[in-house]
Coordinates of all heavy atoms in Angstrom, one line a residue:
M13 N 120.5 13.6 155.0 CA 120.7 14.6 154.1 C 121.5 15.7 154.7 O 121.4 16.1 155.9 CB 119.2 15.1 153.8 CG 119.2 16.2 152.8 SD 117.5 16.6 152.4 CE 117.8 18.4 152.0
K14 N 122.4 16.2 153.9 CA 123.4 17.2 154.3 C 122.8 18.6 154.1 O 122.1 18.8 153.1 CB 124.7 17.0 153.7 CG 125.5 15.8 154.0 CD 126.8 15.8 153.2 CE 127.4 14.4 153.4 NZ 128.6 14.3 152.6
F15 N 123.1 19.5 155.0 CA 122.6 20.8 154.8 C 123.5 21.6 153.8 O 124.8 21.5 154.0 CB 122.6 21.6 156.1 CG 122.2 23.1 156.0 CD1 121.0 23.5 155.9 CD2 123.2 24.0 156.1 CE1 120.6 24.7 155.8 CE2 123.0 25.3 155.9 CZ 121.6 25.7 155.8
S16 N 123.0 22.3 153.0 CA 123.8 23.2 152.1 C 122.9 24.5 151.9 O 121.7 24.4 151.9 CB 124.1 22.5 150.8 OG 123.0 22.1 150.2
Y17 N 123.5 25.6 151.6 CA 122.8 26.9 151.5 C 122.8 27.3 150.1 O 123.9 27.2 149.4 CB 123.5 27.9 152.5 CG 122.7 29.1 152.7 CD1 121.6 29.1 153.6 CD2 123.0 30.3 152.0 CE1 120.9 30.3 153.8 CE2 122.2 31.4 152.2 CZ 121.2 31.4 153.1 OH 120.4 32.4 153.3
P18 N 121.8 27.8 149.5 CA 121.8 28.2 148.1 C 122.4 29.6 148.0 O 122.2 30.5 148.7 CB 120.3 28.4 147.8 CG 119.6 28.5 149.1 CD 120.5 27.8 150.1
V19 N 123.3 29.7 146.9 CA 123.9 31.0 146.7 C 122.9 32.1 146.3 O 123.2 33.2 146.5 CB 125.0 30.7 145.5 CG1 125.5 32.0 145.0 CG2 126.1 29.9 146.0
A20 N 121.7 31.7 145.8 CA 120.8 32.7 145.4 C 120.2 33.4 146.5 O 119.5 34.6 146.3 CB 119.8 32.0 144.5
L21 N 120.4 33.0 147.8 CA 119.7 33.7 148.9 C 120.7 34.7 149.5 O 122.0 34.5 149.6 CB 119.3 32.7 149.9 CG 118.2 31.7 149.5 CD1 117.7 30.8 150.7 CD2 117.0 32.5 149.1
I22 N 120.1 35.7 150.3 CA 120.8 36.6 151.0 C 121.6 36.0 152.1 O 121.2 35.0 152.7 CB 119.9 37.7 151.6 CG1 119.2 38.5 150.5 CG2 120.6 38.6 152.6 CD1 118.1 39.4 151.0
G23 N 122.9 36.3 152.3 CA 123.7 35.8 153.3 C 124.6 34.7 152.9 O 125.3 34.1 153.7
W24 N 124.5 34.3 151.7 CA 125.3 33.1 151.2 C 126.8 33.3 151.5 O 127.6 32.4 151.7 CB 125.0 32.8 149.8 CG 125.5 33.7 148.8 CD1 124.9 34.8 148.2 CD2 126.8 33.7 148.1 NE1 125.7 35.4 147.2 CE2 126.8 34.7 147.2 CE3 127.9 32.8 148.2 CZ2 128.0 35.0 146.4 CZ3 129.1 33.1 147.4 CH2 129.0 34.1 146.5
R25 N 127.4 34.6 151.3 CA 128.8 34.8 151.5 C 129.2 34.5 152.9 O 130.3 34.0 153.2 CB 129.1 36.2 151.2 CG 129.1 36.5 149.7 CD 129.4 38.0 149.3 NE 129.2 38.3 148.0 CZ 128.1 38.8 147.4 NH1 127.0 38.9 148.1 NH2 128.1 39.0 146.2
L26 N 128.3 34.9 153.9 CA 128.6 34.6 155.4 C 128.7 33.0 155.5 O 129.6 32.5 156.2 CB 127.5 35.2 156.3 CG 127.6 34.8 157.7 CD1 128.9 35.2 158.4 CD2 126.4 35.3 158.5
F27 N 127.7 32.3 155.0 CA 127.8 30.9 155.1 C 129.0 30.3 154.4 O 129.5 29.4 155.0 CB 126.4 30.3 154.4 CG 125.3 30.4 155.4 CD1 124.4 31.5 155.2 CD2 125.0 29.4 156.3 CE1 123.3 31.6 156.0 CE2 123.9 29.6 157.2 CZ 123.0 30.6 157.0
A28 N 129.3 30.8 153.3 CA 130.6 30.4 152.6 C 131.9 30.5 153.6 O 132.6 29.7 153.8 CB 130.9 31.2 151.4
R29 N 131.9 31.7 154.3 CA 133.1 31.9 155.1 C 133.1 31.1 156.4 O 134.1 30.8 156.9 CB 133.1 33.4 155.5 CG 133.4 34.4 154.4 CD 133.6 35.8 155.0 NE 134.0 36.7 153.8 CZ 133.0 37.4 153.1 NH1 131.8 37.4 153.4 NH2 133.5 38.2 152.1
L30 N 131.9 30.6 156.7 CA 131.7 29.8 157.9 C 132.0 28.3 157.6 O 132.1 27.4 158.3 CB 130.4 29.9 158.5 CG 130.1 31.2 159.1 CD1 128.5 31.3 159.6 CD2 131.0 31.5 160.3
G31 N 132.1 28.1 156.2 CA 132.4 26.7 155.8 C 131.3 25.8 155.4 O 131.4 24.6 155.2
V32 N 130.1 26.5 155.5 CA 128.8 25.7 155.1 C 128.9 25.4 153.5 O 129.2 26.2 152.8 CB 127.6 26.6 155.4 CG1 126.3 25.9 155.0 CG2 127.5 26.8 156.9
P33 N 128.5 24.2 153.2 CA 128.5 23.8 151.8 C 127.4 24.7 151.1 O 126.3 24.9 151.7 CB 128.1 22.3 151.7 CG 128.6 21.8 153.1 CD 128.4 22.9 154.1
L34 N 127.7 25.0 149.9 CA 126.8 26.0 149.1 C 126.3 25.2 147.8 O 127.0 24.2 147.5 CB 127.4 27.2 148.7 CG 128.0 28.1 149.8 CD1 128.9 29.2 149.2 CD2 127.0 28.7 150.6
Y35 N 125.2 25.5 147.3 CA 124.9 25.0 146.0 C 124.3 26.1 145.1 O 123.7 27.1 145.6 CB 123.8 23.9 146.2 CG 122.5 24.3 146.5 CD1 121.5 24.5 145.5 CD2 122.0 24.2 147.8 CE1 120.2 24.9 145.9 CE2 120.7 24.5 148.2 CZ 119.8 24.9 147.2 OH 118.6 25.2 147.6
V36 N 124.5 25.8 143.8 CA 123.9 26.7 142.8 C 123.0 25.9 141.9 O 123.2 24.8 141.7 CB 125.0 27.5 142.0 CG1 125.8 28.4 142.8 CG2 125.9 26.5 141.2
R37 N 122.0 26.6 141.3 CA 121.1 25.9 140.3 C 121.6 26.3 139.0 O 121.8 27.3 138.7 CB 119.7 26.4 140.5 CG 119.2 26.1 142.0 CD 117.9 26.8 142.3 NE 118.3 28.2 142.3 CZ 117.4 29.3 142.4 NH1 116.2 29.0 142.4 NH2 117.8 30.5 142.4
V38 N 121.8 25.2 138.2 CA 122.2 25.2 136.9 C 121.2 24.6 135.9 O 120.8 23.5 136.1 CB 123.6 24.5 136.6 CG1 124.0 24.6 135.3 CG2 124.6 25.1 137.6
S39 N 120.8 25.4 135.0 CA 119.7 25.0 134.0 C 120.5 24.5 132.8 O 121.3 25.2 132.2 CB 118.8 26.0 133.7 OG 118.1 26.4 134.7
V40 N 120.1 23.3 132.3 CA 120.8 22.7 131.2 C 119.9 22.3 130.0 O 118.8 21.7 130.4 CB 121.7 21.5 131.5 CG1 122.4 20.9 130.4 CG2 122.7 21.8 132.6
M41 N 120.2 22.5 128.9 CA 119.4 22.1 127.7 C 120.3 21.7 126.6 O 121.4 22.0 126.5 CB 118.4 23.1 127.3 CG 119.1 24.4 126.6 SD 117.9 25.6 125.8 CE 118.0 24.9 124.2
Y42 N 119.8 20.8 125.8 CA 120.5 20.3 124.6 C 120.0 21.0 123.4 O 118.8 20.9 123.1 CB 120.4 18.8 124.5 CG 121.3 18.3 123.3 CD1 122.7 18.2 123.5 CD2 120.8 17.9 122.1 CE1 123.5 17.9 122.5 CE2 121.6 17.5 121.1 CZ 123.0 17.4 121.3 OH 123.8 17.0 120.3
D43 N 120.8 21.7 122.7 CA 120.4 22.5 121.5 C 120.8 21.4 120.3 O 121.9 21.3 119.9 CB 121.3 23.7 121.3 CG 120.9 24.5 120.2 OD1 120.3 23.9 119.1 OD2 121.2 25.7 120.2
K44 N 119.7 20.8 119.8 CA 119.9 19.9 118.7 C 120.5 20.4 117.4 O 121.3 19.8 116.8 CB 118.6 19.1 118.4 CG 118.1 18.3 119.4 CD 116.7 17.6 118.9 CE 116.1 16.8 120.1 NZ 114.8 16.2 119.7
E45 N 120.0 21.6 117.1 CA 120.5 22.4 116.0 C 122.0 22.6 116.0 O 122.7 22.3 115.0 CB 119.7 23.8 115.8 CG 119.6 24.1 114.4 CD 118.6 25.3 114.2 OE1 117.4 25.2 114.5 OE2 119.2 26.5 114.1
A46 N 122.5 23.1 117.1 CA 124.0 23.4 117.3 C 124.8 22.2 117.8 O 126.0 22.1 117.6 CB 124.2 24.5 118.3
G47 N 124.1 21.1 118.3 CA 124.7 19.9 118.7 C 125.5 20.1 120.0 O 126.7 19.5 120.2
V48 N 124.9 21.0 120.9 CA 125.7 21.3 122.0 C 124.8 21.3 123.3 O 123.6 21.6 123.1 CB 126.5 22.6 122.1 CG1 127.6 22.5 121.1 CG2 125.6 23.8 121.9
F49 N 125.4 21.0 124.5 CA 124.6 21.2 125.7 C 124.9 22.8 126.1 O 126.0 23.2 126.0 CB 125.1 20.4 126.8 CG 124.8 19.0 126.8 CD1 125.8 18.1 126.1 CD2 123.6 18.5 127.2 CE1 125.4 16.7 126.0 CE2 123.2 17.1 127.1 CZ 124.1 16.3 126.4
V50 N 123.8 23.5 126.6 CA 123.8 24.8 127.1 C 123.5 24.9 128.5 O 122.4 24.5 128.8 CB 123.0 25.7 126.1 CG1 123.1 27.2 126.7 CG2 123.3 25.6 124.7
A51 N 124.4 25.5 129.3 CA 124.1 25.6 130.7 C 124.1 27.0 131.2 O 125.0 27.7 130.8 CB 125.1 24.7 131.5
T52 N 123.2 27.3 132.0 CA 123.0 28.7 132.5 C 122.9 28.8 134.0 O 122.3 27.7 134.6 CB 122.0 29.6 131.8 OG1 120.8 28.9 132.0 CG2 122.3 29.7 130.3
C53 N 123.4 29.7 134.7 CA 123.1 30.0 136.1 C 123.0 31.4 136.4 O 123.8 32.1 136.1 CB 124.3 29.3 136.9 SG 124.1 29.6 138.7
D54 N 121.9 31.7 137.0 CA 121.7 33.2 137.4 C 121.9 33.5 138.9 O 121.6 34.6 139.3 CB 120.2 33.6 137.1 CG 119.9 33.5 135.5 OD1 120.9 33.7 134.8 OD2 118.7 33.3 135.1
D55 N 122.3 32.5 139.7 CA 122.4 32.6 141.2 C 123.4 33.6 141.6 O 123.3 34.2 142.7 CB 122.8 31.3 141.8 CG 121.6 30.3 141.7 OD1 120.6 30.6 141.3 OD2 121.8 29.1 142.3
F56 N 124.4 34.0 140.7 CA 125.4 35.0 141.2 C 125.0 36.4 140.6 O 125.8 37.3 140.8 CB 126.7 34.6 140.6 CG 127.4 33.4 141.2 CD1 127.3 32.1 140.6 CD2 128.0 33.5 142.4 CE1 127.7 31.0 141.1 CE2 128.5 32.3 143.0 CZ 128.4 31.1 142.3
L57 N 123.9 36.6 139.9 CA 123.4 37.9 139.4 C 123.2 38.9 140.7 O 122.8 38.4 141.7 CB 122.2 37.7 138.6 CG 122.4 37.1 137.3 CD1 121.2 37.0 136.5 CD2 123.5 37.8 136.3
P58 N 123.4 40.1 140.5 CA 123.8 40.9 139.4 C 125.1 41.0 139.0 O 125.7 41.4 138.0 CB 123.3 42.2 139.5 CG 123.3 42.5 141.0 CD 123.1 41.0 141.6
K59 N 126.1 40.4 139.9 CA 127.5 40.5 139.8 C 128.1 39.7 138.7 O 129.0 40.0 138.0 CB 128.2 40.1 141.1 CG 129.6 40.6 141.1 CD 130.1 40.8 142.5 CE 131.5 41.1 142.6 NZ 131.9 42.4 142.9
F60 N 127.5 38.4 138.5 CA 128.2 37.5 137.6 C 127.2 36.5 137.0 O 126.4 35.9 137.8 CB 129.3 36.6 138.4 CG 130.3 35.9 137.5 CD1 131.5 36.6 137.4 CD2 130.1 34.7 137.0 CE1 132.5 35.9 136.6 CE2 131.1 34.2 136.2 CZ 132.3 34.7 136.1
G61 N 127.0 36.5 135.8 CA 126.1 35.5 135.1 C 127.0 34.4 134.5 O 128.1 34.5 134.0
I62 N 126.4 33.1 134.4 CA 127.1 31.9 133.9 C 126.3 31.5 132.7 O 125.1 31.2 132.8 CB 127.3 30.9 134.9 CG1 128.3 31.4 136.0 CG2 127.8 29.6 134.3 CD1 128.4 30.4 137.1
A63 N 127.0 31.4 131.5 CA 126.4 30.6 130.4 C 127.6 29.9 129.6 O 128.6 30.6 129.2 CB 125.7 31.7 129.4
V64 N 127.5 28.6 129.6 CA 128.6 27.8 128.9 C 128.0 26.9 128.0 O 126.7 26.5 128.1 CB 129.5 27.1 130.0 CG1 130.1 28.1 130.8 CG2 128.7 26.1 130.8
E65 N 128.8 26.3 127.1 CA 128.1 25.2 126.2 C 129.4 24.3 125.9 O 130.6 24.7 126.0 CB 127.7 25.8 124.9 CG 128.6 26.6 124.0 CD 128.0 27.1 122.8 OE1 126.9 27.7 122.8 OE2 128.5 26.9 121.7
S66 N 128.9 23.0 125.5 CA 129.9 22.0 125.3 C 129.3 20.9 124.3 O 128.0 20.8 124.6 CB 130.6 21.5 126.4 OG 131.6 20.4 126.1
E67 N 130.0 20.2 123.6 CA 129.5 19.2 122.9 C 129.1 17.9 123.7 O 128.2 17.1 123.3 CB 130.3 18.8 121.7 CG 130.5 19.9 120.6 CD 131.4 19.4 119.5 OE1 132.0 18.4 119.6 OE2 131.5 20.3 118.5
T68 N 129.7 17.8 124.8 CA 129.5 16.6 125.7 C 128.9 17.0 127.1 O 129.2 18.1 127.5 CB 130.8 15.8 125.9 OG1 131.7 16.6 126.7 CG2 131.3 15.4 124.6
W69 N 128.3 16.1 127.8 CA 127.8 16.4 129.1 C 129.0 16.6 130.0 O 129.0 17.4 130.9 CB 127.0 15.2 129.6 CG 126.6 15.3 131.0 CD1 126.9 14.7 132.1 CD2 125.6 16.2 131.6 NE1 126.5 15.1 133.1 CE2 125.6 16.1 132.9 CE3 124.8 17.3 131.0 CZ2 124.8 16.8 133.7 CZ3 123.9 17.9 131.8 CH2 123.9 17.7 133.1
E70 N 130.1 15.8 130.0 CA 131.2 15.9 130.7 C 131.9 17.3 130.5 O 132.3 17.8 131.4 CB 132.2 14.7 130.4 CG 131.7 13.4 130.8 CD 130.8 12.7 129.8 OE1 130.7 13.3 128.6 OE2 130.1 11.7 130.2
G71 N 132.0 17.7 129.3 CA 132.6 18.9 129.0 C 131.8 20.1 129.6 O 132.3 21.0 130.1
T72 N 130.4 20.0 129.5 CA 129.5 21.0 130.1 C 129.7 21.1 131.6 O 129.8 22.2 132.1 CB 128.1 20.6 129.7 OG1 127.9 20.5 128.3 CG2 127.1 21.6 130.3
N73 N 129.8 19.8 132.3 CA 130.1 19.8 133.6 C 131.3 20.5 134.1 O 131.4 21.3 135.0 CB 130.0 18.4 134.2 CG 129.9 18.2 135.6 OD1 130.2 19.1 136.4 ND2 129.4 17.1 136.0
K74 N 132.4 20.3 133.2 CA 133.7 20.8 133.5 C 133.6 22.4 133.4 O 134.1 23.1 134.3 CB 134.8 20.3 132.6 CG 136.1 20.8 132.8 CD 137.1 20.2 131.9 CE 138.5 20.8 132.1 NZ 139.5 20.2 131.1
E75 N 133.1 22.8 132.2 CA 133.0 24.2 132.0 C 132.1 25.0 133.1 O 132.5 26.1 133.5 CB 132.2 24.5 130.6 CG 133.1 24.1 129.5 CD 134.4 24.9 129.3 OE1 134.5 26.1 129.6 OE2 135.4 24.3 129.0
V76 N 131.1 24.3 133.6 CA 130.3 24.9 134.6 C 131.1 25.1 135.9 O 131.1 26.1 136.5 CB 128.9 24.0 135.0 CG1 128.3 24.5 136.2 CG2 128.0 24.2 133.8
R77 N 131.8 24.0 136.3 CA 132.6 24.1 137.5 C 133.7 25.2 137.4 O 133.9 25.9 138.3 CB 133.3 22.8 137.8 CG 132.2 21.8 138.2 CD 132.7 20.4 138.6 NE 131.7 19.5 138.9 CZ 131.1 19.4 140.1 NH1 131.5 20.2 141.1 NH2 130.2 18.6 140.3
I78 N 134.3 25.3 136.2 CA 135.2 26.5 136.0 C 134.6 27.8 136.1 O 135.2 28.7 136.8 CB 135.9 26.3 134.6 CG1 136.9 25.1 134.6 CG2 136.8 27.5 134.2 CD1 137.4 24.7 133.3
A79 N 133.5 27.9 135.6 CA 132.7 29.2 135.6 C 132.4 29.5 137.0 O 132.3 30.7 137.5 CB 131.5 29.2 134.7
I80 N 131.9 28.5 137.9 CA 131.5 28.7 139.2 C 132.7 29.2 140.0 O 132.5 30.0 140.8 CB 130.9 27.5 139.8 CG1 129.5 27.2 139.2 CG2 130.8 27.4 141.4 CD1 128.8 25.9 139.6
E81 N 133.8 28.5 139.8 CA 135.0 28.9 140.5 C 135.3 30.5 140.2 O 135.7 31.3 141.1 CB 136.1 28.1 140.2 CG 136.2 26.8 140.7 CD 137.4 25.9 140.3 OE1 138.4 26.5 140.0 OE2 137.3 24.7 140.3
E82 N 135.2 30.8 139.0 CA 135.4 32.3 138.5 C 134.4 33.2 139.2 O 134.8 34.2 139.7 CB 135.4 32.4 137.1 CG 136.5 31.8 136.4 CD 136.4 31.9 134.8 OE1 135.4 32.5 134.3 OE2 137.1 31.3 134.1
A83 N 133.1 32.7 139.3 CA 132.1 33.6 139.9 C 132.3 33.7 141.4 O 132.2 34.8 141.9 CB 130.7 32.9 139.6
M84 N 132.7 32.7 142.1 CA 133.0 32.6 143.5 C 134.2 33.6 143.7 O 134.1 34.6 144.6 CB 133.4 31.3 144.0 CG 132.2 30.4 144.1 SD 131.0 30.9 145.5 CE 132.0 30.5 146.9
E85 N 135.2 33.6 143.0 CA 136.4 34.5 143.1 C 136.0 35.9 142.9 O 136.3 36.8 143.7 CB 137.4 34.1 142.2 CG 138.7 34.9 142.3 CD 139.9 34.4 141.4 OE1 139.9 33.2 141.0 OE2 140.8 35.2 141.2
D86 N 135.2 36.1 141.9 CA 134.6 37.5 141.7 C 133.7 38.1 142.8 O 133.9 39.2 143.2 CB 133.9 37.5 140.3 CG 133.7 39.0 139.8 OD1 134.6 39.8 139.7 OD2 132.5 39.3 139.5
C87 N 132.9 37.1 143.2 CA 131.9 37.6 144.2 C 132.5 37.7 145.7 O 132.1 38.5 146.5 CB 130.8 36.7 144.4 SG 129.8 36.8 142.8
M88 N 133.5 36.8 146.0 CA 134.2 36.8 147.3 C 135.4 37.7 147.4 O 135.9 38.1 148.4 CB 134.5 35.5 147.7 CG 133.3 34.5 147.9 SD 132.2 34.9 149.1 CE 133.1 34.6 150.5
G89 N 135.9 38.0 146.0 CA 137.0 38.9 146.1 C 138.3 38.4 146.4 O 139.3 39.0 146.6
K90 N 138.4 37.0 146.3 CA 139.6 36.3 146.5 C 139.5 34.8 146.0 O 138.4 34.4 145.7 CB 140.0 36.3 148.0 CG 139.0 35.5 148.8 CD 139.4 35.6 150.4 CE 138.4 34.9 151.1 NZ 138.7 34.9 152.6
K91 N 140.7 34.2 146.0 CA 140.6 32.6 145.5 C 139.8 32.0 146.6 O 139.7 32.3 147.7 CB 142.0 32.1 145.6 CG 142.9 32.5 144.4 CD 142.5 31.8 143.2 CE 143.4 32.1 142.1 NZ 143.1 31.4 140.8
T92 N 139.0 31.0 146.1 CA 138.1 30.4 146.9 C 138.4 28.9 147.3 O 137.5 28.2 147.5 CB 136.6 30.3 146.1 OG1 136.9 29.7 144.9 CG2 136.2 31.7 145.9
K93 N 139.7 28.7 147.5 CA 140.0 27.3 147.9 C 139.4 27.1 149.3 O 139.3 28.0 150.2 CB 141.5 27.3 148.1 CG 142.2 27.5 146.8 CD 142.9 26.3 146.3 CE 143.6 26.6 145.1 NZ 143.8 25.6 144.2
G94 N 138.9 26.0 149.5 CA 138.3 25.5 150.8 C 136.7 25.8 150.8 O 136.2 25.2 151.7
F95 N 136.2 26.5 149.9 CA 134.8 26.6 149.7 C 134.2 25.3 149.1 O 134.8 24.8 148.1 CB 134.4 27.8 149.0 CG 134.5 29.2 149.7 CD1 135.3 30.1 149.1 CD2 134.2 29.4 151.0 CE1 135.7 31.3 149.7 CE2 134.4 30.5 151.7 CZ 135.1 31.5 151.0
R96 N 133.2 24.8 149.6 CA 132.5 23.7 148.9 C 131.2 24.2 148.2 O 130.4 24.6 148.9 CB 132.2 22.5 150.0 CG 131.4 21.4 149.2 CD 131.5 20.2 150.0 NE 130.6 19.2 149.5 CZ 129.7 18.6 150.1 NH1 129.5 18.7 151.3 NH2 128.9 17.7 149.4
L97 N 131.2 24.0 147.0 CA 130.0 24.5 146.2 C 129.7 23.4 145.2 O 130.5 23.0 144.4 CB 130.3 25.8 145.4 CG 129.0 26.6 145.0 CD1 129.3 28.0 145.2 CD2 128.6 26.2 143.7
D98 N 128.5 22.9 145.3 CA 128.0 21.9 144.4 C 126.9 22.3 143.5 O 125.9 22.9 143.9 CB 127.4 20.7 145.2 CG 128.5 20.0 146.0 OD1 129.5 19.8 145.5 OD2 128.2 19.6 147.2
P99 N 127.1 22.2 142.1 CA 126.0 22.6 141.1 C 124.9 21.6 141.2 O 125.1 20.4 141.4 CB 126.7 22.6 139.8 CG 127.9 21.8 139.9 CD 128.3 21.8 141.5
V100 N 123.7 22.1 141.2 CA 122.5 21.3 141.0 C 122.0 21.4 139.6 O 121.5 22.5 139.3 CB 121.4 21.6 142.2 CG1 120.2 20.8 141.9 CG2 122.0 21.5 143.5
F101 N 122.1 20.4 138.8 CA 121.6 20.5 137.3 C 120.2 20.2 137.2 O 119.6 19.3 137.7 CB 122.5 19.6 136.5 CG 124.0 20.0 136.4 CD1 124.8 19.3 137.3 CD2 124.4 20.9 135.5 CE1 126.2 19.6 137.2 CE2 125.7 21.2 135.5 CZ 126.7 20.6 136.3
R102 N 119.5 21.1 136.5 CA 118.1 21.0 136.1 C 117.9 20.9 134.6 O 118.5 21.7 133.8 CB 117.3 22.2 136.6 CG 117.3 22.3 138.1 CD 116.5 23.6 138.4 NE 117.0 24.7 137.8 CZ 116.5 25.9 138.0 NH1 115.5 26.1 138.7 NH2 117.0 27.0 137.4
E103 N 117.2 19.9 134.2 CA 117.0 19.8 132.8 C 115.9 20.7 132.3 O 115.0 20.9 132.9 CB 116.5 18.4 132.3 CG 116.4 18.2 130.9 CD 116.0 16.7 130.7 OE1 115.9 15.9 131.6 OE2 115.7 16.4 129.5
C104 N 116.2 21.4 131.2 CA 115.3 22.4 130.5 C 115.0 21.9 129.2 O 115.8 21.3 128.5 CB 115.8 23.8 130.5 SG 116.2 24.5 132.2
H105 N 113.8 22.2 128.7 CA 113.3 21.7 127.4 C 113.1 23.0 126.6 O 112.5 23.9 127.0 CB 112.1 21.0 127.4 CG 112.2 19.7 128.2 ND1 112.9 18.6 127.6 CD2 111.9 19.3 129.4 CE1 112.9 17.6 128.5 NE2 112.3 18.0 129.6
A106 N 113.7 23.1 125.4 CA 113.4 24.2 124.5 C 112.0 24.2 124.1 O 111.4 23.2 123.9 CB 114.4 24.1 123.3
S107 N 111.5 25.4 124.0 CA 110.0 25.6 123.6 C 109.9 25.9 122.1 O 110.7 26.3 121.4 CB 109.4 26.6 124.5 OG 110.1 27.7 124.6

């Protein structure tokens, strides 16, 4: 098992600068009425919130990765080439 540090915890920016792989938690649900997957991530709050939707799982995955890159750039204050960040998808059920 590889070590990775959660973005939601204090000190994640230091770990990012040191090259430690990071992860974010992404909640995903399927909205049957709208026919789309909806993905959200609060790990970058209060600076940056993520909410994306797409009709396909692949599209949702792509949109999440784009949003994560934007969040990293916004939070780190520069382009984030070289940082490794893996989203961890969690299935949510609408109540």
Side-chain angles (χ1 to χ4, degrees):
M13 183 173 153
K14 296 179 184 177
F15 176 77
S16 58
Y17 195 80
V19 167
L21 293 182
I22 293 173
W24 71 268
R25 288 178 185 92
L26 173 64
F27 282 94
R29 287 186 183 97
L30 294 173
V32 173
L34 305 172
Y35 73 88
V36 295
R37 296 166 297 170
V38 179
S39 300
V40 181
M41 65 172 268
Y42 185 73
D43 184 338
K44 288 181 185 178
E45 213 172 281
V48 296
F49 289 94
V50 179
T52 60
C53 175
D54 296 334
D55 287 358
F56 293 98
L57 290 177
K59 191 160 179 111
F60 200 98
I62 293 175
V64 300
E65 64 180 46
S66 178
E67 293 179 354
T68 65
W69 176 255
E70 293 79 14
T72 303
N73 194 335
K74 180 180 177 182
E75 292 296 324
V76 164
R77 290 180 183 280
I78 291 168
I80 288 172
E81 286 179 23
E82 291 174 7
M84 287 291 291
E85 184 175 335
D86 191 54
C87 292
M88 299 296 288
K90 60 181 178 179
K91 286 282 188 187
T92 55
K93 300 248 182 205
F95 292 123
R96 180 166 169 228
L97 198 145
D98 296 319
V100 176
F101 293 97
R102 298 180 300 181
E103 181 180 357
C104 297
H105 299 281
S107 42

